[in-house]
Amino acid sequence: MIVFDKPKALTDAPLHYCPGCTHGIIHRLVAEAIDNLNIGGETIGVASVGCSVFTYNYFNVDMVQAAHGRAPAVATGVKRADPSKIVFTYQGDGDLASIGMAETVHAAARGENITIIFVNNAIYGMTGGQMAPTSLPGQVTQTSPYGRDTNTVGFPVKVCELLSTLDGAGYIERVAVNNVKNVRNAKKAIEKAFRNQVEGKGFSLIEVVSTCPTNWGKTPQGALEWLEENMLPYYPLGVYKDKFAEEAAK
Amino acid sequence: MADKILMKGNEALAEAAIMAGCRHYFGYPITPQTEVAAYMAKRMPKIGGVFLQAESEIAAINMVIGAAAAGKRAMTSSSSPGISLKSEGISYMAGCDLPALIVNVQRGGPGLGGIQPSQSDYFQATCGGGHGDFHLLVLAPSSVQEMADLVAKGFDLAEKYRMPCMLLADGTMGQMMEPVSLEETKQEACEKPWALTGTKGERKPNIINSLALQPQELEQWNEDRFKRYEIVKENEQMAESYLMDDAEYCVVAFGIAARVSQNAVDAARAKGIKVGMIRPITLWPFPEKVLKEAADKCKAFLSVELNMGQMIKDVKLAIDCKKPVDLCYRTGGMIPSPEEVLAAIEKMQKEGK
Ligand SMILES: Cc1ncc(C[n+]2csc(CCOP(=O)(O)OP(=O)(O)O)c2C)c(N)n1
Ligand code: SF4
Ligand SMILES: [Mg+2]
């Protein structure tokens, strides 16, 4: 009996991610959600620009590769073209919260019926470790070599907190995949974010607090520890908004 | 032929797009093309189409990318500053071989410029207008009727060659009213096996992508695309020739500049000057063939433009600099008068003797 198999929604292509990078786990959770809801044949994914740019090789669904930051607008076009399709984006923090902030905020404000998977690793992974809009105060990166100085470059953007102020946003949750309990919770949240769309409810975004051992200069284990000690206190996990549950409760 | 009705260029264009089967419009307000968006906002919801006002031109073009990727006839419209913002998306569209229609109702630039008519985005349109090796199909209407007719043509060409197509109009074309007859256009059947429609579990995923990290691969993609461009150049050049049969001098002008120039050509003929006009309708591919023929017969050329002289470079290239090419221009939103163009024709004749 097979107890652990590769989800159907993943291709056989070997993932290119660094050892200890949590992109891989998140891919698996997305694929499991697609399988569990049995929507692979109707799903269209939008890849972004960042370490996850090659998601179009990994997800076993129709995919389009968007320009840096523009995935929510591309997803809007796909969804409006055929509302029967399940449309998701997979974006990093530089992509979603810096160059693509306008596209993100307005997709949420419109209550666009799409699902966004937002991987926050507090760094620009793909370009070699520059400061991200989500880099922590004091965090050393290639472009904040003396540590992020909040006096000159300001403070990190807390995406879930920000988006949950918008009436259009439906379901906003922040999760992590640093331990078994959190992975289970992340799995539930991601599946719910897709189910909301299947049920025609509206905009869902799941932020996954993630690691980048390579650019953080940490071992895989060290990266998880750094995440727990620094990221989670700054980016508390939890449901920031669930308009759909509130509506159902009324 | 359908009855003629009086319409603004921008509205005729919008209705023509609907008649050509476009049901997905994404845009952002900017003068002098806002009537297109307003028209679509009114009409699309009534016919089960999509009108969406995007948060920016960047978002609008990316929504067009999404809808085009899903296999739909999609379009956006804007004016010069907005087209600059769209150029990132236009480049991606070219790199992804996605067909769509982009309308530029040009105004004067650079920068915020002005809101009066201009043709100063000629370089931007005909040289691609974004990063990378690529071209757009570029169509230039010179009447309200053509604002309508070139829409269906543009969609058909875009889909046939899997290229984005730009309709390069100007503020006058967009704002002026003329009688126009609109007809439901037969949509050229075009299979889109590449479109993202969901695998249904029955086929391999379709991937729409412009990324190729291996330079050999990217080189091959670009080579293949340019082979397609050669076919377009061979088959799709369009121009109107006016009084060219016996012409000794040739005016070259498109859009509103051609309207003014035609009056000037008539006036020059009345004075006994044997001058004709070639009006490019496709700016890319540039109508080199007719210009080459004209170069064998004519003594001199005059490029009339609403910019500091952009198309003149293509005229010179098309005729291999075999004959002198003068420039008659106004810029910044100014339009040359027929008298100014006539004076330029007379000067060309004097120098060409
Ligand atoms: C318009 C544009 N600007 C800059 C880049 C370069 N670039 C590629 S990936 C990236 C940062 C990605 O960081 P993030 O979104 O956090 O994803 P990660 O790699 O960390 O997963 C940048 C700046 C680009 N491709 N396009
Ligand atoms: S650079 Fe960072 S984010 Fe990118 S694959 Fe490696 S560990 Fe993951
Ligand atoms: Mg990142």
Side-chain angles (χ1 to χ4, degrees):
Chain A
M1 189 180 80
I2 300 168
V3 289
F4 192 78
D5 206 358
K6 193 175 62 62
K8 282 200 307 244
L10 284 181
T11 64
D12 291 330
L15 303 184
H16 71 281
Y17 300 110
C18 307
C21 176
T22 40
H23 267 305
I25 304 177
I26 302 164
H27 277 34
R28 188 180 170 95
L29 297 182
V30 169
E32 284 177 355
I34 291 172
D35 281 4
N36 287 348
L37 295 166
N38 199 20
I39 52 174
E42 299 302 325
T43 296
I44 294 169
V46 184
S48 66
V49 178
C51 275
S52 58
V53 67
F54 290 120
T55 45
Y56 58 75
N57 286 329
Y58 303 145
F59 289 115
N60 199 11
V61 302
D62 279 3
M63 297 282 302
V64 49
Q65 203 284 308
H68 197 21
R70 316 298 175 221
V74 173
T76 297
V78 174
K79 187 73 184 180
R80 299 282 178 134
D82 186 353
S84 75
K85 294 293 173 300
I86 303 305
V87 184
F88 78 95
T89 73
Y90 187 107
Q91 303 173 254
D93 40 53
D95 193 271
L96 180 139
S98 190
I99 195 167
M101 186 55 119
E103 285 78 2
T104 306
V105 167
H106 286 279
R110 284 192 302 268
E112 210 63 57
N113 189 22
I114 59 173
T115 303
I116 292 185
I117 307 299
F118 165 40
V119 179
N120 176 6
N121 57 10
I123 199 124
Y124 283 24
M126 190 192 209
T127 38
Q130 297 79 27
M131 187 180 76
T134 46
S135 292
L136 297 178
Q139 188 178 334
V140 173
T141 72
Q142 202 182 57
T143 49
S144 56
Y146 309 111
R148 180 177 188 147
D149 178 1
T150 53
N151 288 315
T152 55
V153 297
F155 291 85
V157 176
K158 295 179 172 177
V159 169
C160 289
E161 288 83 339
L162 187 77
L163 293 183
S164 59
T165 64
L166 298 172
D167 292 344
Y171 170 50
I172 310 284
E173 179 163 356
R174 184 181 288 130
V175 300
V177 289
N178 58 315
N179 58 40
V180 175
K181 178 170 155 277
N182 282 347
V183 169
R184 280 215 192 99
N185 202 41
K187 181 178 157 79
K188 265 199 285 186
I190 288 173
E191 191 169 317
K192 182 167 165 184
F194 276 93
R195 193 178 315 110
N196 285 340
Q197 189 182 160
V198 172
E199 292 171 0
K201 285 180 173 164
F203 184 88
S204 300
L205 177 143
I206 304 300
E207 171 175 342
V208 189
V209 181
S210 196
T211 60
C212 177
T214 303
N215 290 302
W216 291 358
K218 304 262 188 286
T219 60
Q221 188 53 38
L224 287 176
E225 283 159 15
W226 193 84
L227 178 145
E228 282 151 19
E229 283 160 23
N230 300 279
M231 295 272 284
L232 295 186
Y234 204 91
Y235 296 112
L237 305 184
V239 178
Y240 282 80
K241 182 161 191 192
D242 192 348
K243 184 169 81 172
F244 312 131
E246 286 161 27
E247 282 165 1
K250 268 182 205 157
Chain B
M1 197 71 163
D3 285 345
K4 291 214 168 191
I5 38 171
L6 199 60
M7 265 181 126
K8 253 192 184 187
N10 281 335
E11 292 174 347
L13 173 152
E15 184 57 36
I18 290 169
M19 286 183 156
C22 173
R23 291 292 179 278
H24 297 84
Y25 173 93
F26 306 92
Y28 187 85
I30 184 170
T31 308
Q33 65 76 52
T34 306
E35 293 85 5
V36 182
Y39 194 90
M40 292 301 198
K42 234 192 228 166
R43 285 279 280 133
M44 283 299 195
K46 307 271 185 217
I47 53 172
V50 172
F51 163 83
L52 190 60
Q53 180 168 326
E55 60 270 27
S56 69
E57 287 87 350
I58 298 176
I61 191 79
N62 280 283
M63 291 171 184
V64 170
I65 288 178
K72 306 292 183 190
R73 277 203 159 174
M75 71 176 285
T76 184
S77 63
S78 188
S79 180
S80 311
I83 296 294
S84 290
L85 281 184
K86 289 185 199 293
S87 53
E88 176 196 50
I90 292 173
S91 166
Y92 273 73
M93 229 180 237
C96 292
D97 299 316
L98 285 174
L101 188 72
I102 301 134
V103 178
N104 182 359
V105 185
Q106 297 167 91
R107 53 191 256 181
L112 196 48
I115 57 169
Q116 298 304 320
S118 171
Q119 298 180 327
S120 54
D121 304 342
Y122 179 92
F123 281 157
Q124 188 193 39
T126 57
C127 298
H131 62 284
D133 271 328
F134 76 92
H135 283 290
L136 301 174
L137 296 152
V138 184
L139 308 180
S142 87
S143 64
V144 172
Q145 185 65 52
E146 254 185 3
M147 285 286 269
D149 293 346
L150 291 180
V151 168
K153 179 84 187 165
F155 273 120
D156 286 346
L157 288 176
E159 288 173 358
K160 181 169 176 192
Y161 295 106
R162 288 188 65 181
M163 290 172 71
C165 175
M166 179 173 283
L167 200 118
L168 193 69
D170 61 68
T172 334
M173 287 299 132
Q175 298 299 322
M176 73 184 184
M177 292 184 92
E178 282 183 332
V180 53
S181 84
L182 292 170
E183 269 170 299
E184 199 81 37
T185 35
K186 200 165 79 240
Q187 206 171 318
E188 269 184 27
C190 183
E191 293 286 316
K192 295 179 179 173
W194 45 265
L196 307 186
T197 52
T199 65
K200 312 267 186 303
E202 289 162 4
R203 60 158 168 78
K204 278 207 194 132
N206 282 343
I207 296 171
I208 290 179
N209 170 38
S210 59
L211 175 70
L213 288 180
Q214 296 302 326
Q216 297 87 341
E217 188 182 12
L218 187 53
E219 181 177 56
Q220 196 54 55
W221 288 4
N222 288 345
E223 292 278 6
D224 291 347
R225 195 166 294 120
F226 272 70
K227 275 185 202 135
R228 200 166 356 121
Y229 292 165
E230 283 307 315
I231 300 171
V232 178
K233 278 187 184 174
E234 186 54 38
N235 296 338
E236 307 297 350
Q237 296 182 17
M238 285 198 293
E240 184 191 27
S241 294
Y242 181 67
L243 305 181
M244 281 301 293
D245 287 346
D246 63 341
E248 295 174 354
Y249 299 93
C250 176
V251 172
V252 188
F254 68 95
I256 184 65
R259 299 276 290 245
V260 177
S261 297
Q262 188 164 335
N263 289 337
V265 166
D266 289 342
R269 282 272 173 180
K271 289 187 165 192
I273 304 173
K274 286 193 171 172
V275 60
M277 180 172 77
I278 292 175
R279 175 174 74 86
I281 299 172
T282 53
L283 298 179
W284 199 96
F286 197 66
E288 292 168 356
K289 292 183 198 173
V290 284
L291 278 158
K292 272 192 188 17
E293 284 166 25
D296 295 334
K297 299 189 306 191
C298 296
K299 293 180 186 161
F301 288 75
L302 176 70
S303 186
V304 183
E305 305 182 50
L306 271 64
N307 57 52
M308 296 298 293
Q310 299 190 13
M311 181 182 65
I312 188 171
K313 291 198 166 60
D314 282 335
V315 175
K316 287 180 179 174
L317 274 175
I319 65 167
D320 283 333
C321 295
K322 279 184 189 154
K323 299 289 161 66
V325 186
D326 285 357
L327 175 68
C328 171
Y329 74 94
R330 295 298 297 268
T331 179
M334 298 300 291
I335 301 177
S337 66
E339 292 72 30
E340 282 174 77
V341 180
L342 176 61
I345 292 172
E346 288 176 318
K347 183 163 168 276
M348 161 170 68
Q349 186 215 20
K350 233 174 264 152
E351 288 166 1
K353 262 188 184 151

